[in-house]
């Protein structure tokens, strides 16, 4: 697979997981400064890792949420909580990931993640009405 194919596959998965609205917003913010970084993310994170057959997207979403908690990456955490539902993840599964993170990443990290997840859930519930 060449880089163009990897980019195309990555963009397909990126849109499926994060949603067209998010990807369109990110694409509209491309600049001479960040365009190489955006292409790198699309090719490698989405086109190389998220397309691998070894784990389903559902599992990748749960892992990513846990890693964002452990790394204290709140913006990416919220993005991936919202996106996880596109991969069939449930609120109860997210809760279980956060409980696991409480032990392995620390209570303060999990506490903050619970608050952020509830914030995302409230936004999603409000948008669904």
């Amino acid at each position: 697979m060449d880089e163009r194919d990897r980019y195309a596959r990555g963009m397909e998965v990126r849109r499926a997981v994060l949603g067209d609205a998010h990807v369109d917003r990110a694409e509209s913010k491309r600049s001479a400064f960040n365009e190489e970084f955006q292409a790198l993310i699309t090719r490698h994170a989405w086109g190389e890792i998220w397309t691998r057959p070894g784990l389903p997207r559902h599992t990748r979403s749960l892992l990513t949420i846990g890693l964002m908690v452990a790394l204290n990456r709140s913006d990416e955490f919220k993005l991936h909580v919202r996106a996880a539902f596109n991969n069939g993840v449930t609120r109860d599964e997210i809760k279980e990931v956060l409980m696991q993170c409480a032990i392995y990443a620390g209570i303060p990290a999990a506490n903050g993640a619970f608050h952020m997840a509830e914030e995302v859930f409230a936004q999603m519930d409000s948008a669904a009405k």
Side-chain angles (χ1 to χ4, degrees), residues 78 82 118-128:
K78 291 182 212 177
R82 186 179 308 277
E118 288 177 323
E119 177 186 319
V120 170
F121 297 159
Q123 291 168 354
M124 292 173 71
D125 291 344
S126 179

Side-chain angles (χ1 to χ4, degrees), residues 64-73 77 101 104-106 109-110 113:
T64 302
I65 288 169
L67 287 164
M68 294 306 99
V69 172
L71 294 170
N72 193 26
R73 301 295 190 258
F77 171 80
C101 287
Y104 291 97

